[in-house]
Amino acid sequence: MSEIPVTNLQITNLVAESPHRTIAVRARESKGLGKDRPGLVWLGGFKSDMKGTKAVALDAWAEAEGRACLRFDYSGHGESGGRFEDGTIGQWLEESLAVVTRFAKGPQVLIGSSMGGWIALLLAAKLRQLKDAPKLAGMVLIAPAVDFTEALMWKAFSDDIKREIETKGFWTRPSEYDPTGYPITKALIEDGRKHLMMGGMIEPGCPVHILQGVQDPDVPWRHAIELVSRIAREDVVLTLIKDGDHRLSRPEDLERLIAAVKEF
């Protein structure tokens, strides 16, 4: 696979009080027969980056098919600037909107993993508000962690953890993926409440295919079923993978991902 060089997108004050940020972007252009097919936009998860297994596999498939593929790292992630602990859902959403409107051309398929699933649905609403923004041909969501800061974090935290977040401004959550853990900040929780979606109906504006592992310890499969009930469309497919975990990065999982993307 040919490596796409990083383009640094400079972002300043898209969100009130947010600092200047440098966002690392890898944009693969379409070619040949792929020019007639929608481009792909990868939206990564919480503390993940665009060099993860799923993102790289998707880009390799896009290269073979001649399809455009857009990857980037949120601020505080991967090759982008900024500190992870300064990030919020609103800030990462604004960065996603800036990248897509700057680099994406023509119809697009949003592929959102975990937190990226929440970002994808929020981004779809933002794009519909813009006159010249790319249209969405479809959406593939992998273990979509919609409303996770509230539904899967805050509501599950003990009183001691909530108190620590309120008084110190953060709590370090242990993680099997990072020995130093993840800082969960008060700003992340409070900003997340401004972007909650599961309290009403959700209109993505395009067909949706959700891939969800039943053995996922981070995003329960019942959360995905609740999300399906909230999406105001008939063309929504939910694939439950009985032995699947949260990452869904095994070879067979990657095949399912590519098959879902091929639908659009």
Side-chain angles (χ1 to χ4, degrees):
M1 182 182 72
S2 60
E3 180 71 303
I4 299 297
V6 164
T7 299
N8 289 318
L9 179 64
Q10 304 301 320
I11 298 179
T12 306
N13 295 329
L14 284 178
V15 181
E17 289 89 38
S18 66
H20 169 88
R21 282 157 282 150
T22 301
I23 304 302
V25 181
R26 283 186 164 86
R28 182 181 297 283
E29 296 184 356
S30 61
K31 61 182 181 180
L33 296 177
K35 290 184 177 181
D36 297 325
R37 304 293 297 157
L40 313 178
V41 178
W42 174 257
L43 298 162
F46 191 66
K47 216 52 162 72
S48 298
D49 61 61
M50 62 176 163
K51 287 190 172 182
T53 303
K54 293 187 292 293
V56 170
L58 185 70
D59 183 59
W61 178 79
E63 180 182 23
E65 295 291 314
R67 292 178 67 165
C69 185
L70 180 60
R71 294 179 289 155
F72 68 98
D73 287 329
Y74 311 115
S75 58
H77 291 69
E79 298 170 293
S80 288
R83 301 192 314 159
F84 174 78
E85 54 265 41
D86 291 334
T88 61
I89 299 301
Q91 181 167 301
W92 295 328
L93 170 61
E94 292 290 356
E95 293 162 3
S96 302
L97 181 63
V99 169
V100 170
T101 54
R102 166 65 177 80
F103 292 96
K105 299 177 178 65
Q108 301 292 314
V109 178
L110 300 183
I111 301 110
S113 177
S114 193
M115 180 183 77
W118 187 8
I119 297 288
L121 290 166
L122 291 168
L123 178 60
K126 290 284 187 182
L127 290 172
R128 287 200 303 276
Q129 296 171 6
L130 300 179
K131 181 179 179 181
D132 298 322
K135 305 300 182 184
L136 297 184
M139 196 178 294
V140 178
L141 308 180
I142 309 153
V146 180
D147 293 5
F148 78 92
T149 54
E150 193 72 15
L152 304 180
M153 285 186 174
W154 187 257
K155 288 183 178 180
F157 288 163
S158 67
D159 289 341
D160 287 343
I161 292 173
K162 291 179 179 178
R163 193 176 303 112
E164 184 172 344
I165 291 173
E166 293 285 359
T167 56
K168 288 179 56 180
F170 74 96
W171 168 69
T172 302
R173 181 183 187 180
S175 171
E176 64 177 287
Y177 310 122
D178 188 334
T180 62
Y182 298 164
I184 307 301
T185 66
K186 183 178 180 181
L188 176 72
I189 297 296
E190 291 181 343
D191 178 82
R193 290 173 180 148
K194 301 175 185 177
H195 298 91
L196 299 179
M197 306 186 81
M198 299 282 271
M201 299 305 291
I202 302 169
E203 175 51 76
C206 63
V208 179
H209 191 149
I210 298 172
L211 302 172
Q212 175 68 50
V214 176
Q215 304 302 321
D216 187 339
D218 300 309
V219 180
W221 61 271
R222 290 180 179 83
H223 191 75
I225 291 178
E226 173 66 15
L227 175 60
V228 169
S229 74
R230 295 289 182 181
I231 297 178
R233 296 184 69 91
E234 295 300 322
D235 47 2
V236 179
V237 174
L238 170 62
T239 299
L240 289 176
I241 302 158
K242 192 169 183 179
D243 62 346
D245 60 8
H246 182 62
R247 287 194 165 188
L248 292 180
S249 294
R250 301 168 302 178
E252 60 267 38
D253 298 324
L254 299 178
E255 290 180 5
R256 291 187 183 97
L257 171 60
I258 298 304
V261 174
K262 280 182 180 179
E263 298 171 3
F264 306 113

